[in-house]
Amino acid sequence: MANKIVTSPKLMRHQSQHHTLAVTGGDLDPINAALQDLKIDDSSLRIISINLGCGSPKSTVGERRPTAELVVRSEYPHILFAQEIMAPTCCLWKLDIDHDIFDSRNSGEEAGILWDKRELDLKEEIPSERKSSITSKMSEGSCDIASRTSVVCLKLKTASQYIIAISWHGPWRMGEEGRVETCRALQEFALKVRDKYFKQLVPFPGIVIGGDFNLSLESNDKALHPDFCFPSYEPSTRRRERVGDETIDYFLHTKEVTLEDTCALEMSKSADSSFTSEEVNATAEERLRAMDHDPIKANLIFRPGVYSDRVSLLKA
């Protein structure tokens, strides 16, 4: 069970100095040589996960789309994990946002990822055929993973750091046992993607999965792979009034990164709402009817100290 994290104020970019990993002893092989001069920046990225479909009737797509635009314009995330995109109506590249700032990739109607291209470069997108080549060799619980994920590897422009970002829309038309099995398979899939396509990157990339899991991880410890952890958070007032304390939208991450200040975005007219402008509040009721999920956000911080732990594994 993860520890609860108290909802924090709006995320701010974490300012810190650069770190250099020093590798000593003997002749340097290519990996050690690369690490010796590697600049590691432990500044943070704002990340958000938002479900755009939420099981609502398709007639409300026109109301959900402005909500996504509002989240992007209000929060300016460095990475946005989106689910139930309802392509082509809500394709990320069709959102009314500044596309000189943001780039995106969709994977069908289930998942997509948007990122700030001023801060991040796309190193590689994992297409459907590559995802399927991995899941075809996995257990039965992995059958829907290829079609329900969007997978990209991003690199910071200002430092030698990579992040594998995976947006995920978990299945719900199955029993809880099946959803637990699929959640475990998702995490195994993410590790296999990293080992197959990005193992030789220096430093070793962390993985962040953001999405609608359609499963409460806090009440299903078996759903969590030992290489992953998740920061739990307090549900929004709106969600608590509707369904109680259960949450099903999460971020999962590996140890190369950590997430701080995970919280739900309050989408209401209340004083503590994340959206406080007059324009936003004027349409709050329409948004509340359209959205079944609240977006969640966190501060992603790279952990320089763990990269040197991977040297022996990379050399193997």
Side-chain angles (χ1 to χ4, degrees):
M1 182 70 66
N3 294 326
K4 288 287 184 182
I5 298 177
V6 178
T7 301
S8 68
K10 189 169 181 175
L11 299 176
M12 300 293 292
R13 186 164 178 79
H14 178 69
Q15 300 293 336
S16 63
Q17 64 181 357
H18 287 67
H19 296 262
T20 301
L21 286 179
V23 182
T24 59
D27 295 331
L28 294 179
D29 60 32
I31 291 175
N32 276 333
L35 281 170
Q36 182 147 28
D37 296 323
L38 190 62
K39 296 296 184 183
I40 300 297
D41 183 354
D42 65 353
S43 62
S44 64
L45 301 177
R46 294 183 299 276
I47 63 174
I48 288 179
S49 180
I50 181 173
N51 183 307
L52 297 176
C54 318
S56 302
K58 289 191 176 182
S59 61
T60 64
V61 168
E63 297 174 1
R64 296 194 299 268
R65 179 170 166 174
T67 302
E69 295 165 351
L70 184 61
V71 168
V72 174
R73 291 197 297 263
S74 299
E75 297 292 322
Y76 269 87
H78 294 106
I79 306 174
L80 178 84
F81 303 77
Q83 304 86 47
E84 289 196 80
I85 297 170
M86 305 295 290
T89 310
C90 266
C91 285
L92 294 176
W93 61 82
K94 291 188 176 182
L95 294 180
D96 183 15
I97 56 176
D98 190 343
H99 291 281
D100 290 332
I101 295 177
F102 296 104
D103 200 355
S104 63
R105 292 292 185 274
N106 276 39
S107 181
E109 296 190 351
E110 297 290 354
I113 295 177
L114 176 145
W115 64 91
D116 186 337
K117 59 186 180 183
R118 298 170 302 177
E119 300 274 356
L120 296 156
D121 286 322
L122 175 66
K123 176 170 178 58
E124 189 171 353
E125 177 186 14
I126 303 300
S128 296
E129 59 270 19
R130 287 189 181 182
K131 292 187 288 184
S132 297
S133 70
I134 291 176
T135 57
S136 65
K137 301 174 184 178
M138 294 175 59
S139 63
E140 185 176 345
S142 65
C143 59
D144 290 333
I145 290 174
S147 64
R148 289 182 168 273
T149 54
S150 182
V151 184
V152 298
C153 181
L154 302 170
K155 181 186 180 298
L156 275 180
K157 287 180 178 288
T158 58
S160 300
Q161 290 168 320
Y162 301 90
I163 187 72
I164 299 171
I166 302 177
S167 184
W168 163 248
H169 179 220
W172 61 277
R173 291 181 178 175
M174 64 170 59
E176 185 171 288
E177 183 177 345
R179 283 178 282 149
V180 168
E181 181 182 355
T182 300
C183 183
R184 286 277 299 202
L186 166 69
Q187 294 160 82
E188 293 173 4
F189 163 80
L191 295 170
K192 289 179 181 296
V193 165
R194 182 171 66 174
D195 288 343
K196 184 168 184 177
Y197 298 113
F198 304 113
K199 183 177 180 179
Q200 296 303 320
L201 289 181
V202 179
F204 202 59
I207 303 171
V208 176
I209 304 172
D212 168 15
F213 285 73
N214 278 310
L215 178 71
S216 173
L217 297 184
E218 288 153 306
S219 59
N220 288 281
D221 292 339
K222 292 181 179 180
L224 195 64
H225 189 283
D227 286 351
F228 282 84
C229 56
F230 77 96
S232 58
Y233 61 94
E234 297 292 339
S236 68
T237 302
R238 186 176 78 101
R239 182 166 181 83
R240 186 179 289 111
E241 290 174 349
R242 297 182 60 186
V243 299
D245 290 335
E246 184 181 71
T247 54
I248 59 175
D249 299 277
Y250 297 101
F251 294 115
L252 301 183
H253 64 90
T254 54
K255 69 175 183 176
E256 291 80 13
V257 298
T258 188
L259 299 186
E260 294 184 354
D261 304 323
T262 303
C263 62
L265 283 168
E266 290 281 355
M267 298 175 62
S268 68
K269 290 185 176 182
S270 63
D272 61 347
S273 174
S274 301
F275 307 107
T276 56
S277 71
E278 182 177 346
E279 174 188 0
V280 171
N281 286 332
T283 59
E285 295 302 324
E286 288 78 7
R287 293 201 321 280
L288 294 178
R289 285 196 297 269
M291 301 293 288
D292 287 349
H293 296 240
D294 290 318
I296 59 172
K297 67 178 181 178
N299 210 13
L300 185 158
I301 299 175
F302 294 90
R303 299 177 62 195
V306 304
Y307 293 126
S308 58
D309 297 342
R310 302 298 304 180
V311 173
S312 60
L313 294 179
L314 289 167
K315 290 168 61 177

